[in-house]
């Protein structure tokens, strides 16, 4: 932005790029220009398409519509390695490091330096690694294995790995998600160095403060489309937030109605210590209550502690959780899953394939898994009762199956989710915890799941929905809790909540 | 459509078909194969592997493995023999104090159950991977067997003891009866009971099973204990048949057993497989062994061929599951 020249050619151009995953567009007609010596911020909510776009640029996804141009020439990288050979390097959000190798070995992984004999040139690599670490102000022995480092330090090593390569375009995907303020300072210093050297930097973040500090230009993505772009100096926090979220509100499914006064769940001073770090809390002193028939939405950014609240209530980490849980006004000790089920709590977890389903089992057996006691006699499962149970929920939730004997791995995402919900409804819960109930399922199935949620609430179940999609939270919730950095930052009723207010509360770290 | 259905049936019954082809081929190649004598002989020989493999199937269904069955078999057999032999005669009182046959059998079986339970304990409580935990037990139990026997066989039991391994009941050898009962019980366990369902669920997706409130540790403890108990029963049969407890008994049995389970179509990653598949796997290995002996194939080639059959079975299985 300091450049006074009339025109600088962009080093990287994205022209009219679209990408679909089995019919659903993740990106639609995106244009983007990246200039040398400048930081371009890509901003957007979870699922807006930021990471998809970066994966296209860096050669992770090779099939897409539209063109990517490097220095004015069309390129189509076959893999990230080829992209990095052309100077397009990505620092991934998730760490791609080998825990049992040393820092040096990780830094040179795949690009090892060899001596004349064709063997590893360890002294040279050690020397270079040392230089690099001191540039990053990382005062660690390069022979340390990765698993001995804190996550923040690991992230810096990941960044160092990228610095080792000659980059023309450096993409940083949420580089500060796990590092301390001090380390952010170091990172920004390095970014400024790189800028001075003429490297083009793409900076992905939803921390707007950082964007205003480091970036020259910005591009906002929403639902896979480009919403706006411009100079950071000419915009404001509020404008960016509006661009990030300002869509037509999804049809509101829920009419405002009077809630029952009877409380089914009360949480007092819930804390969840980070198992990896004693001084850190994943959930920090959260209290709230849930009434019969209420749908309570919990939102916040990635890592704000949404999922952890549900896990804490469900008794998954008793050793790290403190606080009081009252069910129907009576304090309960929930220290394992069976305690939770007995107390009438059900958890539909975030990842249905990893946590929810036995993929190679059929619909019936998945449905009955958590409530076998109810349909068994002397440990023998009563086949007839089991089939009835499964059929009842297939009808109730309108699950599309050719037969209850169908393996769940052959179902669509929406129907799989319905099977997980069925499994938990079969336990006859008073309180239903739903973690990202519609992640990765199509629009039609989403609407059906919303309908189910509302119907259950109207029949008196207390429901907590955790979601990273604000329209979803607004569509189904009576009340909304907003978390930021493991603390509760706002309690809103559905009449006062808007996406803007929620986003502000989610972005504010400290009140 | 019909062709496809036929194909699916063929895939489903591939082990049975392989078994039939083997039997037909062998009956042409050797006139001794199809005699009643030889048939009962084969059945009796494979019954021990059958019993062990039922336990192995349960363990593998949970996503685990049990390498210690051969050693547990030896130690349990030796304990049974030791108990039968240990008694004191008090001539002045005209009294003999010792274990009855039943007492010795219970003692042997409990030994195996305990060792299996111990496997389960190290796996669930101390998070030792099943491969390592049972590998350690393989050595420990073998060592204990050597200590108990001093490296020499324990021999000479009553006729009643010999009946278990060599006797006939209703024209059918006793070991075949025992293995049939074990198979039947396991079929019921896996198909009809909560425990059976839980075993499949744990192997299919342990995280989901745990989040559904299943008691993973308890179930695994039970499964490894069953595997130990069944190895002990195998040990009793072997001891009875040879009329001696050999310190080297059961050497390498874990491999035959795993082979039978795998040939029977059970997935080593857990959650998928059946007891009846394992029965077929055991039959295939047993008949193959018998056929190769009848055809005078050199023992060296026998091993090569057995290995190739295992590979072939798994490759076919993978090929079929990919297509579906």
């Amino acid at each position: 932005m300091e450049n006074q020249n009339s025109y600088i050619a962009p080093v990287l151009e994205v022209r009219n790029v679209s990408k679909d995953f089995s019919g659903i567009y993740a990106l639609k007609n995106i244009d983007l220009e990246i200039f040398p010596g400048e930081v371009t911020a890509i901003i957007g909510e979870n699922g807006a398409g930021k990471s998809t776009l970066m994966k296209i640029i860096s050669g992770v996804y090779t099939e897409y519509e539209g063109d990517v141009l490097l220095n004015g020439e069309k390129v189509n990288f076959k893999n990230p390695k080829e992209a990095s050979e052309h100077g397009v390097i990505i620092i991934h959000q998730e760490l791609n490091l080998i825990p049992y190798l040393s820092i040096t070995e990780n830094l040179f992984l795949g690009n090892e330096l060899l001596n004349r004999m064709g063997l590893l040139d360890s002294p040279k690599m050690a020397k270079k690694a040392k230089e690099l670490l001191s540039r990053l102000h990382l005062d660690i022995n390069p022979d340390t294995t990765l698993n001995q480092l804190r996550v923040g330090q690991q992230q810096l090593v990941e960044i160092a790995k990228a610095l080792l390569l000659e980059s023309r375009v450096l993409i940083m995907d949420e580089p500060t998600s796990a590092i301390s303020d001090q380390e952010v300072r170091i990172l920004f210093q390095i970014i400024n160095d790189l800028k001075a050297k003429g490297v083009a930097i793409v900076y992905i973040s939803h921390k707007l403060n950082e964007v205003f500090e480091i970036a020259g230009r910005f591009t906002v993505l929403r639902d896979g489309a480009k919403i706006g772009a411009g100079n950071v100096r000419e915009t404001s926090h509020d404008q960016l937030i509006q661009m990030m979220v300002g869509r037509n509100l999804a049809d509101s499914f829920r009419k405002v109605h009077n809630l029952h006064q009877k409380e089914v769940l009360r949480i007092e001073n819930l804390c969840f210590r980070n198992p990896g770090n004693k001084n850190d809390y994943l959930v920090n002193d959260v209290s709230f209550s849930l009434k019969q028939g209420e749908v309570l939405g919990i939102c916040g950014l990635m890592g704000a502690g949404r999922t952890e609240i549900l896990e804490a209530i469900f008794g998954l980490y008793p050793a790290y959780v403190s606080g009081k849980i009252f069910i129907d006004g009576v304090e309960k000790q929930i220290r394992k899953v069976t305690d939770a089920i007995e107390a009438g709590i059900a958890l539909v977890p975030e990842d249905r394939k990893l946590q929810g389903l036995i993929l190679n089992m059929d619909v019936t057996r998945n449905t009955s898994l958590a409530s076998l006691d109810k349909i068994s006699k002397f440990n023998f499962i009563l086949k007839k009762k089991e089939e009835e149970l499964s059929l009842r929920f297939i009808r109730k939730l309108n699950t599309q199956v050719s037969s209850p004997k169908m393996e769940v791995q052959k179902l669509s995402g929406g129907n799989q989710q319905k099977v997980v919900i069925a499994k938990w409804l079969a336990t006859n819960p008073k309180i239903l915890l739903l973690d990202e109930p519609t992640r990765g399922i199509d629009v039609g199935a989403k609407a059906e799941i919303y309908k189910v949620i509302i119907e259950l609430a109207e029949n008196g179940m207390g429901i907590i929905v955790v979601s990273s999609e604000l329209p979803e939270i607004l569509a189904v919730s009576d009340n909304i809790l907003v978390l930021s950095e493991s603390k509760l930052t706002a309690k809103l009723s559905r009449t006062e909540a808007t996406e803007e207010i929620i986003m502000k509360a989610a972005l504010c770290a400290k009140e | 459509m019909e062709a496809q259905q036929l194909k699916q049936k063929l895939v489903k019954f591939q082990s049975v078909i392989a078994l039939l082809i083997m039997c037909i081929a062998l009956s042409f190649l050797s006139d001794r194969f199809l005699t009643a004598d030889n048939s009962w002989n084969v059945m009796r020989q494979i019954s021990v592997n059958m019993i062990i493999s039922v336990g192995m199937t349960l363990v593998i269904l949970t996503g685990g493995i049990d390498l210690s069955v051969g050693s547990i078999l030896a130690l349990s057999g030796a304990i049974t023999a030791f108990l039968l032999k240990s008694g004191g005669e008090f001539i002045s009182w005209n009294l003999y104090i010792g274990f009855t046959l039943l007492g010795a059998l219970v003692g042997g079986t409990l030994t195996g159950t305990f060792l299996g339970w111990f496997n389960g304990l190290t796996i669930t409580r101390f998070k030792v991977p099943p491969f390592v935990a049972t590998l350690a037990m393989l050595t420990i139990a073998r060592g204990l067997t050597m200590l108990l026997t001093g490296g020499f066989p324990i021999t000479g039991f009553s006729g009643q003891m010999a009946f278990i391994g060599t006797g006939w009941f209703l024209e059918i050898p006793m070991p075949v009866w025992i293995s049939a009962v074990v198979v039947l019980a396991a079929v019921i366990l896996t198909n009809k009971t909560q425990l059976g369902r839980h075993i499949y669920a744990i192997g299919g997706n342990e995280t989901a099973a745990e989040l559904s409130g299943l008691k993973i540790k308890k179930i695994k403890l039970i499964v490894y204990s069953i595997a130990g108990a069944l190895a002990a029963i195998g040990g009793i049969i072997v001891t009875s048949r040879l009329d001696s407890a050999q310190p080297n008994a059961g050497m390498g049995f874990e491999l035959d057993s795993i082979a039978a389970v795998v040939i029977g179509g059970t997935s080593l990653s857990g959650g998928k497989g059946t007891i009846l598949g394992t029965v077929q796997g055991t039959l295939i290995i047993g008949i193959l062994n018998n056929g190769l002996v009848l055809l005078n194939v050199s023992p060296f080639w026998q091993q090569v061929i057995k290995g190739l059959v295992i590979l072939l079975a798994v490759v076919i299985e993978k090929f079929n599951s990919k297509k579906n």
Side-chain angles (χ1 to χ4, degrees), chain B residues 187-231:
Chain B
V187 168
I188 293 172
L189 173 80
T190 50
N191 286 317
K192 304 275 181 197
T193 67
Q194 281 192 46
L195 178 62
R197 184 68 59 79
H198 288 175
I199 289 171
Y200 280 99
I202 290 176
N205 184 345
E206 190 165 328
T207 313
E210 194 167 10
L211 285 175
S212 301
L214 271 55
K215 299 185 176 97
I216 312 275
K217 287 184 181 172
K218 184 177 145 194
I219 294 160
K220 284 191 178 172
L221 273 176
I222 293 174
V223 167
Y224 282 94
S225 303
I226 292 176
L230 292 179

Side-chain angles (χ1 to χ4, degrees), chain A residues 314 316 336-338 341 347 349 352-361 364-365 368-370 372-373 376-377 379-383 386 410 423-424, chain B residues 188-215 218 267 269-273 324:
Chain A
F314 202 57
L316 296 187
K336 50 185 193 286
V337 176
T338 40
I341 295 175
L347 170 67
R352 62 179 162 272
K353 285 189 182 157
L354 287 180
Q355 304 169 302
L357 295 167
I358 315 289
L359 285 170
N360 63 3
M361 271 195 176
T364 301
R365 291 170 184 218
S368 63
L369 191 62
L372 282 175
D373 282 336
S376 303
K377 230 179 197 171
N379 214 300
F380 280 79
I381 299 166
L382 305 171
K383 276 258 149 69
E386 187 179 27
K410 291 180 183 149
K423 171 172 83 181
W424 285 107
Chain B
I188 293 172
L189 173 80
T190 50
N191 286 317
K192 304 275 181 197
T193 67
Q194 281 192 46
L195 178 62
R197 184 68 59 79
H198 288 175
I199 289 171
Y200 280 99
I202 290 176
N205 184 345
E206 190 165 328
T207 313
E210 194 167 10
L211 285 175
S212 301
L214 271 55
K215 299 185 176 97
K218 184 177 145 194
S267 155
S269 49
K272 201 176 137 236
N324 290 339

